[in-house]
Each structure stands twice: as structure tokens, then as C-alpha cells.
Amino acid sequence: MRRGLAVLVVLLSIHPAEGRGQNSVYGVLGIGFPGRPISTRARATAGGIASFDARSPLNPASVAGFRRVMVTASTGTTLWNYTALDSAVDGLSQTRSPMGLIGGWFRGTPVSFALSFSTYAERTWDLVTEDTVTIRGESIASTRRLKSNGGIVDLRAALAYRLSSRLSLGAAFHMLGGSSSLTTRRNFSSVDYISYVESNRVAFSGLGVSAGLVATLDPRLTFALAVRSDDRLEIEVDSAPAGSFDLPWSFVGGMFIVPVPALRFSSTVVRQTWSDMAGIGAANAFDTWDVSAGVELGGTQGTTKLPLSLGFRYAQLPFSPTTEQPREINFTGGSTLLMAADRVMFDFSVERILRRGGGAEEWAWFLSAALTIRP
């Protein structure tokens, strides 16, 4: 038990000197780098359409948009480099499957459903630090490597009820789970001491609920609201309880404007109360704002024309080794190809990302693709 707690504190408090292969330098503290429960189509608008998009597990009321069975899966590749303290690392890459969903409706009823998985937090990184330790009164130079691989997954079951053509309500139940393998290795400069290696498995579990609505005030103007509450995140190290932490509340608002069918503006705002997790290890935790806006041009449903999607996003990150809160800016673009009489959709998006704050800077490309089948 005590060893597990010590490992967890080291995991959450270490400051990187060099990194190899981690998802983000900002994912080392807290519970990891927060995921985004949005589809590839929504990513192309920087998340602007996410609170209305039935394929994005963000607002359960959007599930009412399913009028036929649909299965979708996505993949994402990150290419990035960063600077932190006195280190500069480039040429990093990683490919993941960040989201999958199956949805549909109960024929003859106003009720729709969706089952999905998405990344709640990414916990993959590889850090190397150099320091000096004192052993038997002698100062020994050493190198410590801390490697983690895994993450926390959000499993969601959602139902939506279409009260009318203008109003839909939805609710969802969330199960959080996952694990990360953690390996600590320390090498000493003196031949009198052998290398020290320890491996641990960190497991996570938690529950949550969410609810939302989508209201059309005018054929050209639609609003969305959603709220999510997650319980405490339970943590085990090698099957031994290692504590629990409060997870944030999430509040979502969105606006969708369609002046003409081939021109669609959307915006989504997300507020999360991550400051409830302040004091975990050496991490400073902050409440966050996530504001995104996007536009879709052309490609109305029923055509095979390629629509053009563009977007911009400003977001704050929840964890920092300093009192400065990191922030993120995204510029995005993408499109959707409709095939087989609209029964098959291929979405793709490209994101340019800049993260800065807390003593580090990070530049990244994120390439996403998704295949959706509607039998």
C-alpha cells in the first residue's frame, strides 16, 4: 500500500527533463492529458459542431439525430515536438483509436440510443531525468527513466427523446475505466551500484451521468445545453487501493446557425471544474474554458460533393507544474465524402495545435479519419 502511494506521488509530481514518445508533455501531471469526446467531423470544425453532432458523445440530446442505425470508428495520429525546461524534443508520433460509436432509434418511437467509447485521459509518456542521490553519505549521479503506457476510457450509454421537431432531450450513463503500466528505472554512475527497476500497474474506475437538450427556435437557429457530473475516480496500484479524487463537473453550451442550407456556422463552449483536483502530487489544477467555432460550406446531405469545414479553438489545460495555467490554440480543417447513396461516410480532419504555459511549449499536428456505415 505505501509503496503504491509512493509510486503514484512520483508519477504525478515529476518534472520532465527529456521525453520520448509521450502523447503530450502536458499529460504527465494530474490524471493525464484530457481527451475530447468528439467525432472527426466535429474536429474539422475545431469542435464547433460537437454539441449538436449525434456522432460526438458530448451532448446526449444530440443522439435524437439518429433516424437509422449507424456505426462509426475513428483513428488519430499525432505528430509533435516540444520544449520543456532546458530540453527540446522533436520527431514524436503516436497513433490511437480515440472514439467509436453505434447508434440508432427504436422504430416507431421518438426514442434514439447510442453506445460509445472515447478517451477520457491519455497517460502515455516516457521521461528521463538526471539528478544526484546521496547513498551512505556519498553523492552519486543517477539517471531515472519513468515510462507509462495506457489511459482512461469513457464508456457511455445514451438515450434521447424527440419531444417535437423543435425539442429533444437526452440522458446518459458513463463508466470510466482503464489502466496504465508504469515502469521506473534508475541507473547509477558508480559501478558499485546496480540498476534499480520497478514495474507497477495503475488501474482507474469511476461513474458519471450527463443530460442535455437541443432546442430549435427557428429553422435557422438551434441551441444546445448539457451538463455532466462524474463521481470520484478510484485508483489502485498493483490491486491495492491508492486513493480517490474528485472529477470535474462539465457544462456545455452550443449555437448552430444555418442562414442558407450550404452555409452552417456552429460554436460550442465547455466549462469544467478541474480545480477540485488541486493538490494531487505537485500538480496545480485549474478550472478550464474550451471555446470552439466552425463553419461548414457546401455538401448538403444527399449529395456526394465534398463539404469544406474550417474551425478555430481556444482552450485552457487543467494541470501545470507551476502557477501558470497552460493554454491551447487549434486551427482545423476537413471534409466528408458520402458514398453508396449516403450509406457510407468517410470523414477526415487536420489540426494544427499550439500549447504553451507552465514552463513548456508544444507544437503538434493531429490527423484524424473516421469511417461511418449506415446500413
Side-chain angles (χ1 to χ4, degrees):
M1 174 80 175
R2 288 183 178 178
R3 187 183 70 171
L5 287 170
V7 169
L8 186 63
V9 170
V10 170
L11 165 66
L12 297 173
S13 63
I14 186 171
H15 292 193
E18 179 184 354
R20 307 171 183 172
Q22 66 250 37
N23 178 267
S24 171
V25 69
Y26 291 102
V28 178
L29 297 175
I31 61 171
F33 192 83
R36 299 183 68 199
I38 64 175
S39 68
T40 297
R41 177 203 172 189
R43 284 187 174 276
T45 65
I49 195 69
S51 54
F52 303 93
D53 179 28
R55 290 181 288 163
S56 294
L58 183 65
N59 179 3
S62 68
V63 173
F66 287 127
R67 307 311 295 169
R68 59 200 286 188
V69 174
M70 180 181 295
V71 179
T72 184
S74 66
T75 183
T77 297
T78 307
L79 309 170
W80 77 103
N81 57 76
Y82 70 84
T83 60
L85 300 180
D86 297 326
S87 297
V89 181
D90 56 19
L92 300 175
S93 65
Q94 185 183 64
T95 298
R96 292 285 192 184
S97 180
M99 200 210 75
L101 179 145
I102 179 170
W105 69 299
F106 297 104
R107 189 176 298 274
T109 75
V111 179
S112 302
F113 68 90
L115 302 173
S116 65
F117 73 86
S118 59
T119 300
Y120 189 85
E122 174 66 46
R123 297 178 55 81
T124 298
W125 34 264
D126 190 352
L127 299 175
V128 176
T129 60
E130 296 179 354
D131 59 7
T132 301
V133 296
T134 301
I135 304 177
R136 298 176 181 176
E138 180 183 5
S139 295
I140 305 295
S142 71
T143 300
R144 179 173 58 178
R145 183 177 184 181
L146 189 60
K147 185 177 181 179
S148 174
N149 185 47
I152 304 174
V153 177
D154 179 7
L155 303 176
R156 187 192 75 159
L159 290 175
Y161 189 91
R162 184 186 291 266
L163 291 174
S164 68
S165 61
R166 291 179 175 268
L167 181 62
S168 299
L169 303 177
F173 176 73
H174 301 259
M175 293 183 61
L176 301 179
S179 64
S180 61
S181 59
L182 179 65
T183 302
T184 305
R185 182 183 185 91
R186 184 182 287 275
N187 296 319
F188 300 95
S189 59
S190 173
V191 295
D192 295 330
Y193 300 96
I194 63 173
S195 298
Y196 166 81
V197 180
E198 183 175 2
S199 297
N200 303 90
R201 179 179 179 273
V202 185
F204 309 90
S205 61
L207 301 174
V209 293
S210 61
L213 65 85
V214 174
T216 301
L217 305 184
D218 179 272
R220 293 170 295 183
L221 180 62
T222 304
F223 289 96
L225 293 173
V227 61
R228 172 171 174 173
S229 173
D230 291 307
D231 200 1
R232 296 179 67 83
L233 182 69
E234 303 292 335
I235 301 177
E236 294 184 349
V237 178
D238 292 338
S239 301
S244 63
F245 306 101
D246 286 327
L247 290 172
W249 282 78
S250 300
F251 304 93
V252 180
M255 180 174 61
F256 190 51
I257 303 174
V258 187
V260 295
L263 179 61
R264 301 173 295 282
F265 296 98
S266 59
S267 180
T268 292
V269 178
V270 181
R271 175 68 167 173
Q272 291 184 288
T273 59
W274 289 100
S275 61
D276 294 340
M277 302 186 73
I280 300 178
N284 293 286
F286 307 88
D287 294 338
T288 60
W289 286 100
D290 187 321
V291 182
S292 55
V295 59
E296 294 176 307
L297 304 169
T300 56
Q301 189 168 357
T303 75
T304 56
K305 296 180 181 179
L306 284 171
L308 174 64
S309 299
L310 299 171
F312 173 80
R313 171 177 178 249
Y314 170 81
Q316 298 169 321
L317 302 181
F319 304 115
S320 175
T322 72
T323 56
E324 179 188 15
Q325 182 172 15
R327 55 204 178 277
E328 176 177 325
I329 293 176
N330 300 38
F331 297 93
T332 68
S335 189
T336 299
L337 176 63
L338 303 176
M339 300 172 287
D342 290 356
R343 293 182 180 273
V344 177
M345 294 185 290
F346 177 74
D347 300 285
F348 61 91
S349 67
V350 179
E351 300 177 52
R352 183 55 170 167
I353 303 168
L354 167 63
R355 302 181 181 115
R356 178 177 294 165
E361 288 187 358
E362 188 169 73
W363 300 264
W365 291 97
F366 185 79
L367 313 176
S368 179
L371 183 66
T372 300
I373 299 175
R374 301 186 291 188

